[in-house]
């Protein structure tokens, strides 16, 4: 039996506007100057592009078109490969937009996960409460947008279980995350409900170490590393495009396989 | 000038030049993407890359892929529909390729009728078609490794797909380099690809 696949469309003009506005000045300048001058290509042809802003906008529009294509390609029943524990990458690499010395220190005993947006029960959650939910674990490959990859073992609560438990509106378009390290990102609802998408509390059987996102990260084996937020403080459900830290600088929003 | 003088029909010239543009954009942005996490112990010089930084290079790469794939499909479909593929590229045999290569090395390969491809030329152009198809398929595995499990396993997994993608790119750049040297040696072919006759 075929069930018609729901294709979630993005509000394109709003996405472009949000992305361009949210682009902080230094990175926006980087994007314009270093970013899209066509480098050697302009040397080859001997001409420069007169309006780099429109090139930037055209590329962003194709990127949003690619978001739609990817949402259409995404099959919620397809699983990322799982690996034997013997293949785990040790040590698992640390990766963030800052150095390892700047990893936030969070007091787990006073930690509270905040909820907002299209959620029926928005009461905050303590770590102890999260540990009481049914736990699963997975050995999957983390793929970085840069191209390297590493296999790790993550344990925690299936995110779909959590979303249903808090009464999130599962027909909403987006789930957004705000993190203690000032990182922020957002994902599409079909990916949020994917069987392998996990509210991660442990790494390799131990409490999630600070460098991997203590007290909690979202592990999404179907998405690139930058779509896996660490040190999550707040989760919200919305229909308004919420963007993300790297996404605002030009990385593709869907960012997954 | 009659129609019979046309060696390369307009559709062929257009798909050729669009393909050239797509390949240049894909290769230059691809080198920048490679530089973010090199597979081998070298990086491509920044001056010959496109995009300025990883995010910019990815935008270009995922823009040009539509051009490469769309144009490639039109090229293949028209070649098949008009019977050009069969006329121009076949028959081809390893023995004949070798004979032509030997003749070329000895400086005895006649290339007077530009309507007809010699055997190494047929092989090179067919190779480009197959190689670009391999680039697209290995690229699909890198981009959507969860959605194409069979393709991923055929490529030997995600990490190996990167090596396949890189090797296919290297082979393409090598063949295109030889192609450009040949064009420089026989400049009339360039005119032919611009004007058609």
């Amino acid at each position: 039996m075929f069930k018609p696949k729901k294709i979630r469309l993005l509000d394109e003009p709003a996405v472009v506007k949000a992305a361009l506005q949210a682009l902080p000045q230094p990175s926006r300048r980087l994007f314009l100057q270093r970013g899209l001058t066509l480098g050697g290509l302009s040397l080859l042809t001997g001409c420069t592009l007169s309006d780099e802003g429109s090139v930037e906008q055209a590329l962003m529009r194709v990127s949003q078109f690619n978001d739609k294509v990817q949402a259409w390609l995404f099959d919620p029943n397809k699983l990322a490969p799982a690996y034997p524990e013997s293949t785990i990458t040790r040590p698992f690499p640390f990766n963030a937009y800052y150095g390892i010395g700047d990893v936030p220190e969070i007091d787990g005993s006073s930690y509270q996960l905040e909820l907002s947006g299209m959620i029926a029960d928005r009461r905050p959650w303590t770590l102890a409460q999260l540990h009481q939910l049914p736990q699963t674990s997975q050995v999957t490959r983390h793929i970085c947008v840069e191209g390297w990859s590493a296999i790790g073992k993550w344990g925690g609560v299936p995110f779909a279980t959590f979303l249903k438990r808090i009464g999130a509106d599962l027909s909403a378009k987006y789930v957004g995350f705000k993190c203690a390290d000032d990182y922020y990102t957002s994902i599409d609802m079909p990916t949020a409900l994917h069987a392998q998408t996990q509210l991660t509390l442990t790494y390799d059987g131990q409490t999630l170490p600070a460098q991997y996102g203590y007290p909690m990260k979202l592990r999404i084996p179907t998405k690139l590393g930058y779509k896996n937020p660490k040190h999550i403080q707040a989760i919200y459900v919305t229909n308004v495009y919420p963007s993300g830290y790297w996404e605002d600088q030009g990385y593709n929003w869907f960012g997954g396989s | 000038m009659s129609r019979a003088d046309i060696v390369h029909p307009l559709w062929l010239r257009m798909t050729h030049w669009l393909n050239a543009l797509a390949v240049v954009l894909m290769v230059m942005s691809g080198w920048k993407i490679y530089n973010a996490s090199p597979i081998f112990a070298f990086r491509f010089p920044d001056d010959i890359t496109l995009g300025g930084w990883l995010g910019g290079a990815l935008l270009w790469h995922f823009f040009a892929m539509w051009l490469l794939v769309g144009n490639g499909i039109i090229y293949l479909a028209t070649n098949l529909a008009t019977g050009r593929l069969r006329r121009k590229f076949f028959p081809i045999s390893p023995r004949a390729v070798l004979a032509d290569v030997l003749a070329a090395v000895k400086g005895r390969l006649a290339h007077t009728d530009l309507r007809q491809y010699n055997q190494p030329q047929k092989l090179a152009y067919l190779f480009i078609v197959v190689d670009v198809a391999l680039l697209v398929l290995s690229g699909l595995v890198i981009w959507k490794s969860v959605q194409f499990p069979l393709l991923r396993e055929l490529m030997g997994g995600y990490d190996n797909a990167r090596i396949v993608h890189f090797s296919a790119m290297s082979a393409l750049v090598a063949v295109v380099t030889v192609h450009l040297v040949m064009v420089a040696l026989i400049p009339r072919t360039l005119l032919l690809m611009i004007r058609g006759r």
Side-chain angles (χ1 to χ4, degrees), chain A residues 123-142:
Chain A
R123 277 177 299 183
W125 283 66
T126 65
L127 271 183
Q129 286 173 311
L130 287 167
H131 276 283
Q132 276 160 22
L133 291 173
Q135 311 280 314
T136 55
S137 82
Q138 56 172 291
V139 180
T140 49
R141 187 185 291 274
H142 168 110

Side-chain angles (χ1 to χ4, degrees), chain A residues 31 34-38 59 145 249-252, chain B residues 24-36 46 48-65:
Chain A
F31 197 62
R34 239 182 59 196
L36 304 161
T37 52
L38 287 161
L59 289 176
V145 65
Q249 293 171 58
Y251 278 10
N252 179 253
Chain B
V24 166
L25 294 177
M26 288 305 273
V27 168
M28 287 177 66
S29 57
W31 286 345
K32 177 62 91 184
I33 297 167
Y34 166 93
N35 282 352
D46 271 343
I48 56 166
T49 66
L50 171 65
W53 68 296
L54 176 60
L58 286 164
L59 285 176
W60 278 111
H61 211 65
F62 289 129
F63 160 79
M65 73 174 181

Side-chain angles (χ1 to χ4, degrees), chain B residues 134 137 141 148-157 160-161 164:
Chain B
L134 182 64
L137 294 178
V141 172
F148 300 99
L150 179 65
L151 211 51
R152 182 186 65 229
E153 294 318 308
L154 283 174
M155 300 277 165
N160 210 54
V164 172

Side-chain angles (χ1 to χ4, degrees), chain A residues 70-84:
Chain A
Q70 294 174 93
W72 174 77
L73 267 177
F74 183 76
D75 177 352
N77 298 315
K78 286 226 169 82
L79 297 181
Y83 300 87

Side-chain angles (χ1 to χ4, degrees), chain A residues 34-35 66 70 146 149 249 256, chain B residues 37 51-53 66 144 147 159:
Chain A
R34 239 182 59 196
N66 287 341
Q70 294 174 93
E146 292 170 346
S149 71
Q249 293 171 58
Chain B
S37 178
W53 68 296
W66 294 110
K144 301 278 121 190
Q147 300 308 321
D159 276 346

Side-chain angles (χ1 to χ4, degrees), chain B residues 112-147:
Chain B
T112 40
D113 184 4
L114 296 181
R115 261 158 228 285
Q116 295 226 313
Y117 294 148
N118 58 46
Q119 290 277 327
Q121 232 179 333
K122 291 181 183 180
L123 180 70
Y125 298 164
L126 285 173
F127 177 82
I128 288 177
V129 171
V130 174
D131 193 53
V132 169
L134 182 64
L135 274 162
V136 170
L137 294 178
S138 55
L140 260 183
V141 172
I142 300 169
W143 189 38
K144 301 278 121 190
S145 62
V146 177
Q147 300 308 321

